[in-house]
Amino acid sequence: QLSAQQKMSEAPFSWFRGVYLPPPLQPLNKTLARAGRWQAVGSTQEKRRSFLHGFCQKHSGRKKLQTHLGHLVSRIYVEDRHKVLYCEVPKAGCSNWKRVLMVLNGLAASAHNISHDDVHYGKHLRRLDSYDPAGIATRLSTYTKAIFVREPMERLVSAFRDKFEHPNSYYHPVFGKAIIRKYRRHAKEEALSTGSGVKFKEFIQYLLDSHRPVGMDIHWEQVSKLCHPCLISYDFIGKFETLEEDANYFLQLVGAPAELKFPQFKDRHSSDQRTSAEVVRQYLKDLSKEERQMTYDFYYLDYLMFNYTSP
């Protein structure tokens, strides 16, 4: 039997599970933004929001939400001062976004002084699933919810370069060893013992394998599964391709200090060439036509939801 307190804490979960999807599209509050300066960016933003909402209406139908609320919001970071919710999409500017959230929250004076380790391992920012059900429901319905995305193949190649082409004390032993053991014929003992030197084709074989030797990772998980864009009605959809202007417009919308601008520095491996469409083409050459098609199919929903052109 549930106590009265348990029943009360369960109420927001029950309410959320009963909501029909997709949620209605709410108008974006633009009262804090200077209209003339951001007119073009604002217009693009409305088109992205309308496109995603139309997609979700078409493909979700009138379904009831069955997902556990805690899982649904586990990738969302909270900034209470400016009432911001940010869903983390790795390899789409997330490190610098976390720096900005720390500055907004009064945890740092400048985004440029925060190290990579502080951003990702410092536990300075709270995630939405750390609040009680009432706190989650309140923030979802009253805070400005943002998501920043990236062309899926570029994001995938960027993740591979970052995790497998540089020394890494986690991804090489955990993912690299398992990938080399399963997908490389006649692998040498050194490769099997270190997990270093994974080839892009081997990485794709792992990605597309329904019986992966090691699980998925947020750096190459689909955005549709990380942030659930048809279940959570995001107020703002930024894109990595227009990151600076999108981010600075968003900061205007939430009333950020005028001197705070989105940082432009590359978080790690700053001497490396940025992962561009041309860089992606070079990596995709290593794959068969079938593998390229299957990789696109893997990210098919992300391509559709965010109106990216198929490569």
Side-chain angles (χ1 to χ4, degrees):
Q1 288 184 337
L2 287 173
S3 68
Q5 189 176 3
Q6 282 175 307
K7 285 178 181 174
M8 284 177 67
S9 71
E10 275 293 313
F13 283 116
S14 306
W15 167 80
F16 207 78
R17 276 197 289 265
V19 171
Y20 279 106
L21 305 172
L25 185 64
Q26 301 295 334
L28 186 59
N29 184 351
K30 301 177 183 176
T31 53
L32 296 175
R34 297 193 300 275
R37 163 90 161 72
W38 301 103
Q39 192 168 357
V41 187
S43 174
T44 299
Q45 189 54 223
E46 292 304 333
K47 287 173 185 170
R48 288 176 188 166
R49 281 159 37 87
S50 296
F51 184 91
L52 177 59
H53 188 256
F55 169 86
C56 293
Q57 277 189 314
K58 182 179 177 182
H59 293 275
S60 299
R62 279 182 62 76
K63 295 177 183 175
K64 279 196 174 182
L65 176 60
Q66 300 298 328
T67 311
H68 188 277
L69 185 54
H71 171 72
L72 194 72
V73 301
S74 62
R75 302 308 318 167
I76 296 180
Y77 285 86
V78 180
E79 198 285 287
D80 281 317
R81 281 189 178 186
H82 296 79
K83 298 188 173 181
V84 170
L85 298 180
Y86 162 73
C87 188
E88 176 189 29
V89 176
K91 311 312 298 177
C94 72
S95 297
N96 280 338
W97 259 118
K98 287 183 186 176
R99 289 184 171 94
V100 167
L101 292 179
M102 287 171 68
V103 174
L104 287 174
N105 209 29
L107 298 170
S110 165
H112 294 269
N113 302 330
I114 308 169
S115 71
H116 177 87
D117 284 356
D118 255 358
V119 167
H120 291 287
Y121 311 117
K123 302 193 185 305
H124 301 293
L125 298 168
R126 283 186 73 174
R127 292 211 293 235
L128 191 51
D129 62 352
S130 71
Y131 292 81
D132 64 20
I136 294 174
T138 299
R139 285 168 176 80
L140 279 173
S141 59
T142 60
Y143 283 23
T144 305
K145 301 176 289 294
I147 181 174
F148 276 72
V149 299
R150 185 176 187 176
E151 199 280 335
M153 291 291 188
E154 281 191 24
R155 181 173 163 249
L156 175 68
V157 171
S158 177
F160 172 78
R161 295 175 75 200
D162 181 26
K163 303 307 177 191
F164 295 102
E165 291 186 350
H166 296 274
N168 192 295
S169 60
Y170 172 72
Y171 284 91
H172 291 198
V174 174
F175 287 87
K177 282 184 183 180
I179 289 172
I180 291 170
R181 189 179 300 116
K182 182 163 186 182
Y183 306 107
R184 185 178 298 180
R185 282 186 173 185
H186 314 302
K188 293 182 179 175
E189 199 56 46
E190 184 184 357
L192 289 168
S193 65
T194 65
S196 298
V198 169
K199 296 179 173 65
F200 186 64
K201 188 179 181 74
E202 295 167 339
F203 173 66
I204 295 301
Q205 287 175 301
Y206 144 80
L207 184 80
L208 301 175
D209 189 348
S210 57
H211 302 288
R212 295 184 195 99
V214 60
M216 277 298 287
D217 182 85
I218 60 169
H219 289 84
W220 44 85
E221 180 69 278
Q222 300 101 320
V223 178
S224 54
K225 292 185 177 178
L226 287 173
C227 296
H228 306 283
C230 282
L231 307 182
I232 295 170
S233 186
Y234 287 96
D235 302 294
F236 194 93
I237 302 159
K239 291 194 171 183
F240 187 80
E241 295 75 17
T242 50
L243 179 58
E244 185 177 5
E245 62 179 7
D246 287 352
N248 289 324
Y249 177 50
F250 180 77
L251 290 174
Q252 283 267 312
L253 293 174
V254 299
E259 66 275 11
L260 179 59
K261 299 289 184 281
F262 191 79
Q264 278 303 291
F265 60 84
K266 199 170 186 283
D267 190 48
R268 292 197 301 170
H269 317 309
S270 55
S271 61
D272 286 5
Q273 180 186 358
R274 279 190 183 270
T275 303
S276 62
E278 182 52 44
V279 170
V280 170
R281 271 192 286 274
Q282 297 305 315
Y283 279 80
L284 293 183
K285 282 180 182 176
D286 294 339
L287 307 182
S288 68
K289 187 175 180 181
E290 183 185 27
E291 285 169 330
R292 288 198 296 268
Q293 180 64 48
M294 289 172 68
T295 306
Y296 168 70
D297 292 343
F298 185 83
Y299 291 106
Y300 182 60
L301 264 186
D302 287 359
Y303 273 99
L304 286 185
M305 282 181 166
F306 301 108
N307 201 19
Y308 279 112
T309 306
S310 58

